Amino acid sequence: MGLRVASHHRLYGDALYRTEYFNDFMAPLGGSRALGMTTKVPGEPFPALLVAYRDDLSRPPFDERDCTVGELLYPVFRGAVAVDLRLRELRVSLEAVLDRLPDALAVVGKDGGLAHVNVACARLLAGDPERARLESALRAMARALNRSPRHRAALHAPERVRTLRGQYRLDPVPLKPGDPGDPLVAIRVVPLFEVRLPEKELRQRFALTPRQVHVAYLLAQGASNPDAARTLGISVHTVKRHVESVLRKLGVRSRAQVRSRITMG
């Protein structure tokens, strides 16, 4: 109908209130007490919609006077939609810039949610069989930094996280330096080891099992059989069998050669 602001009364008139549908369903649930605004969204198949409801069912449905007030507020609604669209465009542009950077960066919100992981960081995380531990450390750091401005003063202090693949340094940096109110934090994930082939690639290229991948990572770090057994929670005898399989599948003769075999570049 081309209406920008509408209530059920404006759409259907008094006839609506005489129907069984209204009296038996809409009225008891308060469905008739709604006032809605719509506006087209460029490039989207559906319009943006804002609906207000009366939570007091003893009050009458929205009438023409309420629709007139809605018309006065309509420019504010359209402006808010335009601002939201612009912010989405800016976010896409920012993410594109981050994805082109060689550093592995994760943008984390104050609640610990990963707002964006750039391409370099995504590849780094994908290559670690304990990526969940890394992601947990990123979330914990973001929550700590957002507790108060005082925590933001400690941004220069990195943290270290160790996984089966190796040790990482997490360097937090504010997206807007000097603004303690900004809830987003960009955290640089720096591997303190030679970046090795991701687990998925090792499994596909050399037919390693998940456990053998873990053993290969530990061998590349120079771990002994007892060290690997303690780390993986298995027996030394089992580790020995895995080591033999890893050497055979990688096509190397010694443990020392494993490191270069599973390293990128």
Side-chain angles (χ1 to χ4, degrees):
M1 297 176 62
L3 292 175
R4 303 188 310 179
V5 179
S7 64
H8 283 101
H9 183 274
R10 172 173 281 191
L11 290 173
Y12 305 109
D14 292 333
L16 173 69
Y17 308 124
R18 294 191 293 271
T19 63
E20 290 183 4
Y21 176 70
F22 171 80
N23 289 288
D24 296 341
F25 178 71
M26 294 182 67
L29 296 177
S32 64
R33 294 159 175 80
L35 180 71
M37 302 181 189
T38 63
T39 184
K40 292 183 179 180
V41 180
E44 296 292 337
F46 301 105
L49 174 66
L50 175 66
V51 181
Y53 293 93
R54 289 199 194 282
D55 55 6
D56 184 356
L57 300 185
S58 65
R59 299 184 63 188
F62 289 105
D63 54 19
E64 285 302 311
R65 178 178 178 277
D66 299 309
C67 288
T68 300
V69 174
E71 290 283 0
L72 294 174
L73 296 175
Y74 186 76
V76 178
F77 167 58
R78 286 196 62 184
V81 171
V83 169
D84 180 69
L85 291 174
R86 180 57 180 156
L87 288 176
R88 291 186 191 183
E89 293 173 356
L90 291 174
R91 174 170 179 165
V92 170
S93 298
L94 175 60
E95 290 176 352
V97 171
L98 294 176
D99 285 342
R100 287 196 293 268
L101 297 177
D103 291 343
L105 292 171
V107 180
V108 193
K110 63 180 179 181
D111 60 349
L114 295 179
H116 181 68
V117 174
N118 74 348
V119 172
C121 188
R123 188 181 187 195
L124 196 60
L125 292 174
D128 199 307
E130 290 187 295
R131 64 174 298 168
R133 177 179 293 186
L134 268 176
E135 292 177 348
S136 178
L138 289 170
R139 293 188 177 97
M141 174 176 281
R143 285 193 293 266
L145 293 169
N146 279 289
R147 288 194 191 114
S148 71
R150 179 174 59 84
H151 288 82
R152 287 298 180 96
L155 282 173
H156 65 279
E159 296 181 7
R160 298 199 176 194
V161 180
R162 177 176 290 280
T163 69
L164 288 171
R165 197 181 186 198
Q167 190 176 60
Y168 300 82
R169 188 180 73 240
L170 306 184
D171 294 333
V173 232
L175 287 181
K176 292 193 292 185
D179 181 3
D182 184 3
L184 291 177
V185 177
I187 301 177
R188 184 183 299 107
V189 184
V190 183
L192 303 179
F193 55 87
E194 291 178 316
V195 180
R196 301 177 186 111
L197 295 173
E199 178 181 2
K200 182 178 180 180
E201 189 170 343
L202 285 175
R203 292 173 62 180
Q204 292 177 343
R205 183 184 296 187
F206 301 108
L208 297 178
T209 66
R211 178 66 83 186
Q212 289 169 356
V213 171
H214 298 172
V215 170
Y217 283 145
L218 290 171
L219 292 178
Q221 296 176 40
S224 64
N225 285 1
D227 291 336
R230 284 191 294 271
T231 300
L232 299 175
I234 57 180
S235 69
V236 175
H237 176 70
T238 301
V239 169
K240 183 179 179 180
R241 287 194 294 104
H242 283 314
V243 169
E244 292 172 353
S245 297
V246 168
L247 297 181
R248 174 174 50 81
K249 290 182 177 182
L250 292 181
V252 296
R253 295 183 177 181
S254 69
R255 304 162 67 102
Q257 294 175 297
V258 171
R259 177 179 174 182
S260 61
R261 189 67 168 143
I262 68 171
T263 300
M264 293 182 182

